[in-house]
Amino acid sequence: MSYIELNAENFEREVMQSSLPVLIDFWAVWCGPCQMIAPVISEIADERDDIKVCKVNVDEQPELAQAFGVSSIPTLVVVKDKKISNVMVGYRTKEEILAEI
């Protein structure tokens, strides 16, 4: 399973209607730490079918970033049962991310 690019049109379906925990990576092309964490996020998406992994490019989807109060990137948000259960700001290892989900 690979990750899903979120936008205003698919957010409700992919996140709010998901029966799985959702890991959302808020990122930007110009962000160095975002580029460092990208392979980690891809690994989680490829290896775990019990977690839905989504990405939000904050430059292309500023309204989603604003809705989640994202002020620094990378920001990882975990949504379970339609509620934010965890927020992580900055680089994290794969083990740290999985422990927070």
Side-chain angles (χ1 to χ4, degrees):
M1 178 181 202
S2 61
Y3 63 82
I4 297 163
E5 287 282 349
L6 286 181
N7 55 50
E9 291 76 42
N10 69 0
F11 176 80
E12 178 73 24
R13 178 181 70 250
E14 297 296 347
V15 177
M16 302 311 283
Q17 295 177 9
S18 177
S19 59
L20 298 173
V22 181
L23 173 64
I24 306 171
D25 174 20
F26 289 89
W27 69 285
V29 173
W30 48 264
C31 167
C34 297
Q35 301 307 319
M36 289 172 47
I37 203 170
V40 175
I41 300 300
S42 291
E43 265 185 44
I44 293 170
D46 290 340
E47 294 173 1
R48 300 290 297 263
D49 58 2
D50 59 331
I51 303 167
K52 183 182 279 192
V53 178
C54 301
K55 293 179 70 90
V56 175
N57 182 324
V58 297
D59 291 330
E60 295 174 2
Q61 303 297 325
E63 68 285 346
L64 283 178
Q66 185 177 5
F68 279 86
V70 173
S71 59
S72 297
I73 52 175
T75 292
L76 304 176
V77 176
V78 179
V79 177
K80 292 182 183 176
D81 300 320
K82 301 181 176 127
K83 295 182 183 85
I84 296 173
S85 68
N86 208 330
V87 177
M88 298 165 270
V89 179
Y91 181 84
R92 297 286 194 280
T93 65
K94 181 177 171 183
E95 292 74 23
E96 290 170 325
I97 295 167
L98 292 173
E100 297 295 332
I101 299 173

